[in-house]
């Protein structure tokens, strides 16, 4: 009898351990795409924040060229651009979805007021801003209580200039609305008034001839601003003064290939800055000086794909995910929180991924 007792006890012990294990709660990753190939619209994947693995690819909404997505702060709505020139007579479109249990339901769609909208930003006061790249203008929409699109204000950038405006990103914060214009190689600033958004006291922040200002990110305390320039492959560091103006303190080269920079993010602790470059197909890594905000080059990490248009740091800060548009894959990297370096883990096939947003 005793010879059977030990195996039985071991089985019971193993069963008990399995019963006490808490399953890992996955995080939903929404993926915006271009639909000129096999993609049909907006997809999701489930991300394991312990192992860095992805699975369960699902099509959530059929939409033409939903190349950029944004989720409201209360996570009740998702907004997607339609990066086209034929939504209506003025150009592309923007769609508002209700978001519940990872499922999307269209509330309404409206014209963005310009061709090829490529970015959408959500404010904390019930508005969104849509950047029309080819249209060269910015559309600001009021939102209904359910998150549906309401009234629209258009701000034109092709005014009194010899350059052709290409609005690429907008961002709301306590200082107003900041807008990167690749064609003007500048950031524009706007203040909110009861009758709409108007030019701020520092309306234009020049980045230099031919820079091609694309994306930007603020430090958590808004003391520093980091602008990624697509065309000359630089990052410009700006410092906020006592009057709220941002002034250039550093210009750093991202690499020796002067074009096609795409996206930029800070780690949550503010110690590391990352940017993607489609010329070299890399993520470029920098340290950030806590005393003066300046950056120092650490190294490049290949994205193991072609054309990393967008990338994201997962909510835990342990992983970086890159969307490689032209090679139809998302690659996952483990991030070293002390060194900032990246270790490649795995790739996942997804058609034409160009925007990655965690719920």
């Amino acid at each position: 009898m005793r010879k059977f007792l030990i195996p039985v006890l071991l089985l019971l012990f193993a069963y008990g351990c399995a019963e006490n294990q808490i399953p890992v709660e996955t995080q939903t990753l929404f993926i915006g795409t271009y639909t000129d190939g096999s993609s049909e619209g907006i997809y999701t994947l489930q991300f394991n924040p312990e192992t860095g693995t992805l699975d369960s690819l699902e099509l959530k909404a059929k939409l033409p060229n939903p190349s950029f997505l944004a989720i409201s702060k209360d996570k009740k709505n998702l907004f997607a651009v339609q990066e086209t020139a034929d939504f209506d007579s003025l150009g592309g479109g923007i769609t508002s979805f209700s978001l519940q249990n990872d499922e999307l339901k269209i509330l309404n769609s409206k014209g963005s007021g310009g061709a090829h909208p490529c970015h959408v930003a959500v404010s904390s006061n019930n508005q969104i801003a849509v950047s029309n790249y080819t249209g060269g203008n910015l559309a600001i929409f009021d939102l209904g209580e359910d998150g549906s699109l309401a009234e629209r204000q258009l701000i034109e950038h092709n005014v009194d200039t010899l350059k052709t405006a290409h609005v690429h990103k907008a961002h709301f914060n306590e200082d107003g609305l900041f807008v990167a214009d690749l064609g003007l190689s500048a950031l524009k600033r706007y203040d909110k008034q009861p009758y709409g958004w108007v030019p701020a006291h520092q309306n234009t922040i020049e980045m230099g001839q031919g820079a091609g200002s694309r994306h930007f990110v603020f430090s958590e305390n808004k003391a520093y601003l980091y602008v990624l320039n697509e065309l000359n492959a630089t990052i410009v560091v700006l410092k906020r003064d006592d009057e709220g103006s941002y002034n250039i303190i550093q210009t750093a080269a991202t690499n020796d290939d002067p074009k096609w920079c795409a996206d930029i993010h800070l780690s949550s602790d503010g110690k590391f800055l990352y940017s993607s470059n489609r010329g070299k197909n890399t993520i470029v890594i920098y340290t950030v000086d806590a005393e003066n905000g300046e950056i120092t080059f650490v190294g490049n990490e290949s994205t193991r794909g072609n054309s990393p248009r967008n990338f994201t740091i997962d909510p835990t800060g342990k992983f970086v995910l890159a969307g490689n548009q032209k090679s139809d894959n998302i690659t996952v990297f483990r991030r070293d929180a002390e060194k900032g370096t990246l270790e490649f883990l795995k790739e996942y096939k997804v058609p034409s991924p160009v925007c990655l947003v965690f719920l």
Side-chain angles (χ1 to χ4, degrees):
M1 180 67 180
R2 291 181 63 183
K3 66 180 180 180
F4 297 107
L5 183 58
I6 292 177
V8 170
L9 289 174
L10 288 173
L11 285 172
L12 289 173
F13 177 76
Y15 177 78
C17 288
E19 285 289 296
N20 291 328
Q21 286 180 350
I22 300 173
V24 176
E25 184 175 349
T26 61
Q27 299 162 342
T28 300
L29 179 71
F30 280 89
I31 305 159
T33 69
Y34 281 123
T35 55
D36 52 358
S38 61
S39 173
E40 296 183 81
I42 301 171
Y43 293 83
T44 58
L45 278 166
Q46 296 304 311
F47 180 73
N48 185 314
E50 289 190 0
T51 63
T53 54
L54 289 163
D55 59 39
S56 305
L57 183 68
E58 289 188 50
L59 176 65
K60 291 296 183 178
K62 291 187 178 183
L63 202 70
N65 284 355
S67 64
F68 201 90
L69 315 174
I71 295 174
S72 61
K73 290 176 173 56
D74 61 11
K75 299 187 178 182
K76 292 182 179 180
N77 296 97
L78 181 144
F79 305 95
V81 302
Q82 297 183 37
E83 191 176 336
T84 69
D86 57 3
F87 177 89
D88 59 17
S89 61
L90 294 179
I94 177 75
T95 299
S96 173
F97 295 88
S98 64
L99 175 56
Q100 187 175 11
N101 298 325
D102 296 353
E103 298 301 322
L104 297 177
K105 180 181 178 182
I106 290 182
L107 295 175
N108 65 340
S109 298
K110 288 196 172 187
S112 65
H116 302 111
C118 61
H119 187 276
V120 55
V122 184
S123 78
S124 59
N125 61 351
N126 232 26
Q127 289 186 315
I128 63 168
V130 182
S131 299
N132 293 309
Y133 180 80
T134 306
N137 58 13
L138 183 74
I140 303 168
F141 288 88
D142 293 330
L143 300 176
E145 291 185 4
D146 61 351
S148 57
L149 304 168
E151 295 298 316
R152 182 187 74 190
Q153 176 189 359
L154 280 180
I155 298 177
E156 296 291 341
H157 279 194
N158 280 315
V159 179
D160 298 326
T161 178
L162 297 177
K163 301 175 182 177
T164 300
H166 291 304
V167 180
H168 216 301
K169 176 180 177 172
H171 174 78
F172 296 94
N173 67 20
E174 297 85 351
D175 288 332
L177 178 60
F178 291 74
V179 183
D181 194 307
L182 188 145
L184 303 183
S185 292
L187 260 62
K188 307 287 281 186
R189 294 182 62 174
Y190 299 95
D191 286 332
K192 193 174 190 304
Q193 300 296 327
Y195 49 86
W197 290 90
V198 299
H201 76 282
Q202 189 190 22
N203 182 228
T204 302
I205 309 173
E206 298 283 353
M207 292 295 122
Q209 181 68 29
S213 309
R214 180 183 172 99
H215 276 208
F216 57 91
V217 63
F218 287 88
S219 61
E220 186 175 7
N221 62 3
K222 308 298 185 293
Y224 299 101
L225 170 60
Y226 302 89
V227 181
L228 181 66
N229 296 305
E230 175 178 338
L231 301 182
N232 69 0
T234 62
I235 294 177
V236 174
V237 183
L238 303 97
K239 184 177 180 180
R240 190 181 191 274
D241 63 25
D242 293 338
E243 296 180 352
S245 296
Y246 283 89
N247 304 291
I248 295 174
I249 60 171
Q250 182 189 13
T251 299
T254 63
N255 57 54
D256 58 0
D257 184 8
K259 58 183 178 180
W260 312 134
C261 289
D263 199 9
I264 186 168
H265 295 284
L266 277 166
S267 60
S268 59
D269 59 11
K271 293 181 179 179
F272 298 97
L273 183 73
Y274 300 88
S275 68
S276 62
N277 187 286
R278 293 170 293 175
K280 292 287 189 179
N281 293 323
T282 61
I283 292 177
V284 193
I285 307 163
Y286 308 85
T287 57
V288 179
D289 191 307
E291 297 297 323
N292 59 27
E294 294 187 3
I295 60 175
T296 301
F297 176 78
V298 173
N300 285 287
E301 180 66 37
S302 169
T303 62
R304 271 72 170 182
N306 189 357
S307 193
R309 182 183 172 98
N310 182 239
F311 70 97
T312 188
I313 303 173
D314 86 300
T316 71
K318 297 177 182 178
F319 301 94
V320 169
L321 291 79
N324 295 297
Q325 174 192 344
K326 293 183 179 180
S327 53
D328 297 325
N329 68 329
I330 294 174
T331 46
V332 181
F333 302 83
R334 191 183 305 277
R335 193 180 78 88
D336 188 312
E338 298 301 320
K339 300 177 181 177
T341 52
L342 304 177
E343 176 193 358
F344 173 68
L345 295 180
K346 197 172 182 180
E347 70 165 324
Y348 300 84
K349 287 297 181 181
V350 178
S352 194
V354 291
C355 183
L356 310 178
V357 180
F358 278 101
L359 179 60

